[in-house]
Amino acid sequence: MLSPHLMRRIRRIELKSRRLVHNAFAGAYQSVYKGRGLSFATVRPYQAGDDVRRIDWKVTARTGEPFIKQHIEERELTLMIVIDGSASVVFGTQDRQKRDVAAELGAVLAYAANQNNDKAGLLVFSDHIEHYIPPKKGRNHLLHLIRDVLTLKTSGQGTDLALALRTVNNLLPSGSIVFLLSDFLLPAESYRREMLLVGQRHELINVILSDPLEEHMPDVGIMGVRDSESGDVQWVDTSSRQWQQNFRQERDTSIESRQKVFNQAGVAVIDMPPDGDYVRALTHFFQQQARKR
């Protein structure tokens, strides 16, 4: 049984998602993710100016009058929202944790898919698959997905991104749209092969979740830094110039190797701002993708 507080939160997220999809992303999702082709619908009498290549010769021969084939766009697509539920995502020095941003963004994407009559599904992973909702359509399914993405408590501490990508590749029909929300704080080589395979079969969009403290460590003297996944604590001197230099080099090397794998896989990337403003990030992404189509 859901508590009244949780019901109100789900309702707020649904209303916020509806407003964002109608206002900020009106037509953007549909224009970027078009249907996969055309399917035959019916025939109608030929009119002056019609393309003669669309004449249905069988019907024309049977009736003695020229008829044109009419088609409709095959709109239905499959959208899978894949969220990193590992311990490193339960972190944030701003108003919200990275997981909170991922949950709200997942709800918005699911609502956009539902509004365009596409199927939406959810997969949450850590060092194992935590939760899976097969792609479906409909408002009840949408509310189920939003509820789970907001309330799910994960048990794993580590991150097995390769497992999540293999699972997606095995479960989804070819040509699906996959939004992968993660902080990608692990060696890029650990998931390189699987990302290349997913990038070949599906349209993969990597959403990078981050926090300002992961980009720049302030000088606060000696402090204990705890690895959220292993639990290990390391004492560091943040006032040391050498330590700050090493920190920046490790960060830059990690970003460079990650981006190299992304480029090889041919995936799109949304670099989520540290403030978690996913509205700005999504709007910019859709505008960029629309210009490429």
Side-chain angles (χ1 to χ4, degrees):
M1 179 69 68
L2 298 179
S3 67
H5 171 73
L6 182 55
M7 289 296 293
R8 287 194 297 271
R9 188 182 179 201
I10 292 173
R11 181 60 176 162
R12 282 198 302 271
I13 292 294
E14 184 193 12
L15 292 174
K16 183 177 182 179
S17 299
R18 179 186 300 172
R19 185 175 67 253
L20 288 173
V21 170
H22 286 171
N23 298 336
F25 312 132
Y29 173 93
Q30 186 173 16
S31 64
V32 172
Y33 301 117
K34 300 179 183 295
R36 296 305 183 195
L38 299 175
S39 62
F40 174 74
T42 186
V43 294
R44 64 166 173 79
Y46 175 86
Q47 297 175 354
D50 283 338
D51 188 344
V52 295
R53 291 173 298 182
R54 292 170 51 205
I55 292 177
D56 189 319
W57 294 108
K58 290 184 179 179
V59 176
T60 297
R62 189 168 63 248
T63 62
E65 298 288 338
F67 276 79
I68 291 290
K69 294 179 181 178
Q70 286 190 301
H71 297 79
I72 58 173
E73 183 183 30
E74 293 179 345
R75 171 62 244 175
E76 183 180 284
L77 300 173
T78 297
L79 173 77
M80 178 58 68
I81 302 159
V82 182
I83 297 180
D84 183 347
S86 63
S88 68
V89 183
V90 188
F91 176 77
T93 58
Q94 304 299 297
D95 293 336
R96 296 175 294 176
Q97 296 175 341
K98 288 183 283 185
R99 185 179 295 180
D100 296 330
V101 175
E104 289 195 22
L105 177 55
V108 170
L109 291 170
Y111 194 88
N114 185 70
Q115 286 296 103
N116 285 278
N117 202 36
D118 292 336
K119 296 178 180 178
L122 172 70
L123 187 144
V124 181
F125 71 97
S126 57
D127 50 19
H128 60 276
I129 301 302
E130 297 271 0
H131 191 59
Y132 174 64
I133 301 178
K136 292 182 182 178
K137 295 189 291 186
R139 185 172 182 273
N140 288 338
H141 174 71
L142 174 65
L143 292 177
H144 176 205
L145 192 152
I146 292 176
R147 181 199 67 191
D148 284 8
V149 80
L150 291 175
T151 63
L152 183 67
K153 304 297 184 183
T154 55
S155 59
Q157 295 296 306
T159 308
D160 194 339
L161 186 50
L163 171 63
L165 291 167
R166 283 197 302 272
T167 304
V168 163
N169 228 9
N170 292 334
L171 291 175
L172 297 181
S174 181
S176 298
I177 303 164
V178 181
F179 276 85
L180 172 57
L181 286 62
S182 174
D183 52 19
F184 296 93
L185 295 179
L186 67 166
E189 280 301 313
S190 67
Y191 56 79
R192 176 181 176 276
R193 178 179 178 275
E194 287 78 8
M195 185 163 287
L196 263 61
L197 292 174
V198 172
Q200 291 173 356
R201 290 195 66 226
H202 308 288
E203 183 153 358
L204 177 60
I205 302 95
N206 290 338
V207 182
I208 304 173
L209 307 172
S210 63
D211 185 89
L213 203 59
E214 296 165 348
E215 303 295 324
H216 173 72
M217 183 69 73
D219 179 357
V220 293
I222 297 177
M223 64 177 291
V225 180
R226 179 179 179 273
D227 188 310
S228 57
E229 298 194 357
S230 68
D232 295 338
V233 177
Q234 180 182 9
W235 291 92
V236 299
D237 182 4
T238 59
S239 62
S240 165
R241 183 176 298 178
Q242 184 62 50
W243 185 89
Q244 287 285 354
Q245 182 178 347
N246 292 341
F247 176 84
R248 289 191 295 270
Q249 286 179 345
E250 289 180 11
R251 178 202 62 196
D252 293 345
T253 299
S254 175
I255 292 174
E256 183 179 344
S257 64
R258 180 182 72 193
Q259 190 59 50
K260 182 178 180 181
V261 171
F262 291 177
N263 292 340
Q264 290 173 342
V267 303
V269 178
I270 302 177
D271 206 339
M272 191 60 58
D275 61 7
D277 188 353
Y278 57 83
V279 177
R280 184 174 80 243
L282 266 187
T283 301
H284 179 67
F285 169 74
F286 282 135
Q287 289 172 345
Q288 278 189 322
Q289 294 299 109
R291 285 195 290 268
K292 294 178 183 178
R293 308 276 167 142

